[in-house]
Amino acid sequence: MTVYVEYAFLENFFLDGTLLYLALKASRLPIKWRKIAVSATVGGVFAVIFPLLFLPELVALFLKTCVAFLLCFLAVPCLKKRKFLQTVACFFAFSFAFGGALTALNASGAYLLLGFCVLFFLGARFVKAVYQKRAVENFVYDCEIVYKQKRLRLFGFYDSGNFASYKGNGVHFLSPEIAFELFEGEWLDTRGEEIAVTTLAGEKKMRIFQGDLQIKDGQKTIRLKGAYFALSANMLSRGYPLLLHSRALEENGETTKKKR
């Protein structure tokens, strides 16, 4: 079988460049294309020379690992230990995933180039989706609502756009199923207090309930006595049963720190 050196170099150049790009994106590091090109060139040269060395299996594995560290070292724009190790870990993870995928495809020539493009696109989308999910999760808090004799634990989403207020206090919105569970038939009582909310459909009135709210924020717990709650049918599409007010995390309530 004839092996063309230039093809072997280019294949590994594009593969290492793709993996380094994705590893840097996953590590939230700036992309320096010049550094990636230099690193990918080293990877391509190594891929051409390595088959000629005829090394024992363990020695070959050790050498490949060292070269992977070297490629990441050449590609990262800074040498912060944590970020560098994170980049190396991501490089190995993408190498196992994408290297296995390309091997399974057993593609060559134009199909191999197309495979690189597809993996590059899917990898970038995957990294973006992971960080979007993490960004959303950063605004999700473990909460507990106490209303009369009922106590309910649920996840609350911190909504920075929720400015609804009643008597100078923030209003937190509950999904219909949670409101029914807490307040049962009380929400139908029109004699209770109401809040006027302006929506795209115009102004509408919502029944207001008052209870205690507890929010766990890292090492501290925020307890809001007499917090206001309202039912919102729009919560069905939000994915979370509780929308916290934009001032919910301000220390205007009783705050306690978790003991270590």
Side-chain angles (χ1 to χ4, degrees):
M1 181 179 66
T2 303
V3 177
Y4 294 95
V5 173
E6 60 272 22
Y7 289 163
F9 171 80
L10 288 175
E11 286 178 7
N12 285 276
F13 175 85
F14 284 116
L15 178 60
D16 289 334
T18 300
L19 296 175
L20 289 168
Y21 170 80
L22 295 175
L24 291 171
K25 288 287 287 184
S27 301
R28 288 294 181 91
L29 287 173
I31 303 299
K32 303 292 184 181
W33 292 108
R34 185 176 177 181
K35 284 181 170 290
I36 291 178
V38 171
S39 181
T41 301
V42 173
V45 172
F46 173 75
V48 172
I49 297 175
F50 180 75
L52 306 176
L53 300 179
F54 301 103
L55 299 173
E57 186 175 346
L58 289 178
V59 176
L61 180 61
F62 176 75
L63 182 58
K64 286 183 178 180
T65 304
C66 291
V67 171
F69 274 85
L70 175 62
L71 296 184
C72 294
F73 175 80
L74 294 174
V76 294
C78 62
L79 292 179
K80 292 182 179 180
K81 182 179 179 181
R82 186 178 67 85
K83 283 292 186 181
F84 172 70
L85 293 178
Q86 184 178 351
T87 303
V88 172
C90 292
F91 180 79
F92 277 114
F94 285 120
S95 297
F96 288 129
F98 290 174
L102 289 176
T103 301
L105 290 173
N106 194 23
S108 60
Y111 292 105
L112 184 62
L113 181 60
L114 178 62
F116 283 132
C117 294
V118 171
L119 292 178
F120 183 88
F121 174 76
L122 292 179
R125 290 293 299 269
F126 172 76
V127 172
K128 183 178 179 180
V130 168
Y131 277 104
Q132 284 180 339
K133 184 175 184 298
R134 289 184 58 182
V136 170
E137 290 176 347
N138 288 336
F139 293 95
V140 177
Y141 296 86
D142 188 7
C143 302
E144 183 178 76
I145 299 176
V146 178
Y147 180 74
K148 296 183 178 179
Q149 303 300 319
K150 295 182 180 179
R151 185 181 298 268
L152 185 63
R153 289 193 63 179
L154 69 169
F155 288 110
F157 183 80
Y158 172 70
D159 186 0
S160 58
N162 177 15
F163 302 111
S165 62
Y166 182 74
K167 296 182 178 179
N169 296 305
V171 177
H172 314 279
F173 291 98
L174 294 170
S175 64
E177 61 270 20
I178 296 298
F180 296 158
E181 183 175 350
L182 277 174
F183 312 130
E184 295 182 350
E186 293 185 46
W187 68 280
L188 295 173
D189 188 355
T190 58
R191 294 172 298 178
E193 298 177 279
E194 293 182 329
I195 179 177
V197 177
T198 302
T199 65
L200 294 176
E203 186 176 274
K204 57 186 295 188
K205 292 186 177 181
M206 298 180 178
R207 177 77 197 291
I208 286 289
F209 296 88
Q210 199 168 12
D212 296 336
L213 174 63
Q214 176 177 290
I215 307 170
K216 290 186 179 180
D217 182 13
Q219 295 296 318
K220 66 181 181 181
T221 299
I222 300 173
R223 292 184 173 87
L224 302 175
K225 299 288 186 180
Y228 288 104
F229 300 94
L231 180 151
S232 175
N234 294 329
M235 296 278 293
L236 291 172
S237 60
R238 297 299 185 94
Y240 295 97
L242 169 64
L243 282 185
L244 299 170
H245 189 267
S246 57
R247 298 196 306 269
L249 302 181
E250 296 179 4
E251 297 188 4
N252 56 351
E254 180 185 344
T255 304
T256 58
K257 289 189 176 181
K258 188 183 298 182
K259 296 181 180 179
R260 294 183 178 179

